[in-house]
Amino acid sequence: MSRGAVRHRVEAGRLGRLGRGVYGCADDETSRLRALFRRLPPGTVAGFHTGARLHRFGAVPDGRVHVIVPPGAGAPRIRGVAAHQTVLPVPDAVEIAGIPCAPAARCAVDLARLIRRADALPVLDLCLRVGACRHEDLRTEVAWHAGLRGVRQAGQLVALADPRSECRQESQLRLLLIDGGLPPPEPQLWVSDHDGIPIYRLDLGYRDQRIGLEYDGGSHLDPGRLHHDRSRLNWLAEHGWRMRVYTATDLYRRPRHVVASVRALLTASG
């Protein structure tokens, strides 16, 4: 295609400048990434936040494109690109929508090593939930990272990762209780009636002690949802369950209160 043809399509909005000397569909993120990789050293792969997003567990947003550059290759300086030079090669890269990418377990463990614990566990939970990899893959990847910065945190969190967690806040509430010295609560705990038929599901809970924990997000403000929640809480109370409902304010501004209240319930249960 000639320069004039390219210029005409750009002016018409049919093409956009995706990178230096590279043009494509401007509103297509996948095209932009493919174009970017034309400017990167051979063997470079998407990883960290970008790799997690490609594998469908991008729970931690980041406006930059994160790539892993092969050992010995020069890290390119491109605006909006975070180039990670690593001592660990990526011998088993995969291709997603034409973009070379580190395996899901590699992306998850790299993130779990470097970001906050409260952000890392939701990433690992979601990685398992969407089926991007298996728990065994995460453990193998942690062993491969032995000696690197943050691998101890990654190993601790991989041991706690659970695909049953359904949202970021549930993962964070579970981690808050564990870090507070309490037993790990069971995610998505089903409560059955006298006939053994499961009828209600709790975000988190301790089955033997009949303690249920819920995270109350914005969806619970819907009138229909609110009516259902009240009926459910009444039924659970009538059947010996002690419930605690926490909000974002509790989780992020009053974490000690959350831990203390659950500890008091567990202590009262003997």
Side-chain angles (χ1 to χ4, degrees), residues 8-74:
H8 174 73
R9 283 167 172 77
V10 170
E11 292 172 350
R14 294 165 57 189
L15 287 179
R17 185 175 183 272
L18 305 182
R20 185 179 301 168
V22 182
Y23 294 81
C25 298
D27 58 349
D28 184 345
E29 181 183 8
T30 302
S31 292
R32 290 196 296 270
L33 282 174
R34 285 200 294 262
L36 171 64
F37 272 86
R38 292 177 177 268
R39 300 180 56 194
L40 298 174
T44 300
V45 300
F48 293 85
H49 305 72
T50 303
R53 189 169 71 252
L54 289 171
H55 284 289
R56 299 180 297 118
F57 61 93
V60 180
D62 190 299
R64 299 171 297 172
V65 174
H66 289 259
V67 298
I68 301 174
V69 180

Side-chain angles (χ1 to χ4, degrees), residues 166-199:
E166 291 193 341
C167 75
R168 173 187 181 85
Q169 291 82 3
E170 288 179 22
S171 300
Q172 292 176 330
L173 178 56
R174 190 171 92 253
L175 181 62
L176 174 63
L177 299 176
I178 295 171
D179 285 350
L182 301 180
E186 180 181 342
Q188 300 304 313
L189 186 156
W190 279 100
V191 177
S192 303
D193 62 14
H194 293 303
D195 297 322
I197 299 175
I199 55 173

Side-chain angles (χ1 to χ4, degrees), residues 34-259:
R34 285 200 294 262
L36 171 64
F37 272 86
R38 292 177 177 268
R39 300 180 56 194
L40 298 174
T44 300
V45 300
F48 293 85
H49 305 72
T50 303
R53 189 169 71 252
L54 289 171
H55 284 289
R56 299 180 297 118
F57 61 93
V60 180
D62 190 299
R64 299 171 297 172
V65 174
H66 289 259
V67 298
I68 301 174
V69 180
R77 294 184 178 182
I78 303 174
R79 181 181 300 176
V81 175
H84 302 265
Q85 284 188 312
T86 178
V87 297
L88 292 180
V90 186
D92 47 355
V94 297
E95 187 173 291
I96 302 175
I99 301 164
C101 186
R106 173 64 178 268
C107 298
V109 171
D110 274 339
L111 283 173
R113 289 193 302 112
L114 300 182
I115 63 179
R116 297 186 316 142
R117 288 173 64 84
D119 293 327
L121 185 60
V123 168
L124 295 171
D125 285 350
L126 184 58
C127 177
L128 295 176
R129 181 169 181 79
V130 301
C133 71
R134 302 169 300 168
H135 224 139
E136 178 184 347
D137 300 323
L138 294 176
R139 290 193 292 267
T140 300
E141 194 66 38
V142 167
W144 174 244
H145 283 72
L148 296 187
R149 177 167 65 95
V151 71
R152 181 178 179 183
Q153 170 179 283
Q156 292 171 345
L157 295 177
V158 163
L160 299 176
D162 195 310
R164 291 174 292 178
S165 184
E166 291 193 341
C167 75
R168 173 187 181 85
Q169 291 82 3
E170 288 179 22
S171 300
Q172 292 176 330
L173 178 56
R174 190 171 92 253
L175 181 62
L176 174 63
L177 299 176
I178 295 171
D179 285 350
L182 301 180
E186 180 181 342
Q188 300 304 313
L189 186 156
W190 279 100
V191 177
S192 303
D193 62 14
H194 293 303
D195 297 322
I197 299 175
I199 55 173
Y200 290 125
R201 188 174 59 170
L202 311 180
D203 291 343
L204 296 165
Y206 297 94
R207 186 181 302 277
D208 293 341
Q209 295 84 358
R210 292 201 167 212
I211 295 172
L213 312 172
E214 295 275 280
Y215 176 77
D216 191 349
S219 64
H220 292 258
L221 299 178
D222 175 80
R225 179 68 179 272
L226 187 61
H227 175 77
H228 175 268
D229 285 347
R230 286 175 176 173
S231 298
R232 183 177 65 144
L233 290 175
N234 288 339
W235 186 94
L236 290 165
E238 292 168 1
H239 290 78
W241 282 83
R242 288 171 295 167
M243 298 294 299
R244 292 294 182 272
V245 180
Y246 299 107
T247 65
T249 299
D250 298 315
L251 183 58
Y252 300 122
R253 298 186 182 181
R254 307 172 63 204
R256 293 183 180 178
H257 163 74
V258 174
V259 174

